[in-house]
Amino acid sequence: MDFENQIINGDVLEVMKKIPDNSIHLAITSPPYNVGKDYDNHNDKMDYQEYLNWLNEVWKETQRVLVPGGRFALNIAPTGIKDFIPIHHDFTNQLRKLGMKFRTEIIWYKQTMLKRTAWGSWKSPANPHVVPSWEYVLVFTKNGDKLFGNPKEADITAEEFKEFSDGFWQIQPERQRNGHPAPFPEDLIYRLIKFYSYKGNIVLDMFGGTGTVIL
Ligand SMILES: C[S@@+](CC[C@H](N)C(=O)[O-])C[C@H]1O[C@@H](n2cnc3c(N)ncnc32)[C@H](O)[C@@H]1O
């Protein structure tokens, strides 16, 4: 397969169409959140339905390229404070409708309490607001739960397995990297790859950004 070990710079849907069926063991990504981030080549403020329709095409391609038993770890922030849209529920419903199995959600606790500036109504029940200090990693599987592989190629330690199988992951968020507004912290990806794949598996990030998954 000549797409392995490559950084392919291009539009997500055009590039994914070139990836063969049933060839990826683990997809990990964080799509643009449609919150008006300043990306060079992407409108991050689409009409919400248009945004969902676009991503639905990406989910279809993801399902197609995954091997049976392959996993899709999808990082997304919870309900925005501006519009209160439960985007993580919408993504989950889209993927389930396509036939992917919703396997779990990991809470990535970001410990960003100090940065909080929005409280709704201060000290009043009139309209208090819970500001999310976490993000989700929604995990889906294709065609059953089991990913076949050589047990000798599982390189997670017992300590790591115990820690990562508790779905509450405390990881400091990454600050801006090379001008990118929303990079993954490396530890988040380390855990997902160790927990969900064998050595030698093929991992895809279709919205690669600064390339944390590739690293
Ligand atoms: C939330 S960021 C991902 C950041 C990444 N996880 C990292 O660690 O750097 C989403 C990325 O998707 C990219 N993107 C937006 N529209 C795209 C498209 N049509 N095709 C490919 N990538 C796109 C953006 O440029 C941005 O880097």
Side-chain angles (χ1 to χ4, degrees):
M1 284 180 279
D2 58 5
F3 66 91
E4 282 181 31
N5 298 324
Q6 285 195 46
I7 298 168
I8 306 172
N9 198 356
D11 176 71
V12 61
L13 285 172
E14 281 173 30
V15 173
M16 284 190 83
K17 289 212 160 63
K18 296 184 188 145
I19 300 178
D21 296 358
N22 305 313
S23 60
I24 304 289
H25 301 89
L26 172 62
I28 302 176
T29 210
S30 175
Y33 287 4
N34 209 36
V35 288
K37 295 258 186 212
D38 184 18
Y39 294 122
D40 291 347
N41 50 3
H42 171 77
N43 168 16
D44 200 39
K45 262 221 163 306
M46 292 182 193
D47 165 73
Y48 187 61
Q49 193 53 51
E50 186 193 344
Y51 170 69
L52 287 183
N53 293 346
W54 172 60
L55 284 179
N56 204 51
E57 296 307 307
V58 179
W59 308 155
K60 280 187 202 162
E61 284 299 296
T62 306
Q63 184 179 34
R64 180 185 64 75
V65 300
L66 281 175
V67 299
R71 288 78 191 257
F72 179 29
L74 174 57
N75 163 237
I76 188 70
T79 314
I81 188 167
K82 289 204 188 88
D83 44 20
F84 303 104
I85 293 174
I87 189 170
H88 53 302
H89 292 295
D90 289 342
F91 285 0
T92 303
N93 289 335
Q94 284 186 310
L95 280 148
R96 293 189 70 221
K97 224 172 176 176
L98 293 173
M100 296 283 283
K101 179 170 176 180
F102 175 70
R103 186 57 200 267
T104 195
E105 63 197 10
I106 293 160
I107 307 295
W108 164 24
Y109 180 59
K110 303 201 292 185
Q111 303 156 312
T112 46
M113 190 73 186
L114 288 176
K115 279 175 60 187
R116 289 182 176 187
T117 51
W119 303 88
S121 56
W122 172 247
K123 284 182 71 185
S124 160
N127 184 22
H129 188 68
V130 172
V131 183
S133 47
W134 69 93
E135 295 199 15
Y136 297 101
V137 181
L138 310 171
V139 181
F140 301 87
T141 57
K142 170 179 168 179
N143 296 1
D145 294 320
K146 194 155 180 181
L147 182 64
F148 289 95
N150 182 347
K152 287 193 187 132
E153 300 298 326
D155 62 348
I156 191 166
T157 67
E159 280 315 307
E160 286 176 331
F161 192 86
K162 276 188 251 169
E163 190 185 345
F164 303 167
S165 56
D166 178 334
F168 184 76
W169 291 0
Q170 297 193 43
I171 303 172
Q172 286 283 344
E174 193 65 49
R175 307 282 164 228
Q176 283 213 355
R177 188 190 299 144
N178 297 335
H180 194 290
F184 279 143
E186 284 172 35
D187 192 30
L188 182 75
I189 304 311
Y190 176 87
R191 292 179 188 216
L192 290 168
I193 290 177
K194 281 273 164 161
F195 196 72
Y196 282 118
S197 65
Y198 298 92
K199 273 161 71 181
N201 276 176
I202 309 291
V203 180
L204 169 73
D205 183 352
M206 54 289 236
F207 291 107
T210 56
T212 317
V213 172
I214 296 161
L215 177 71

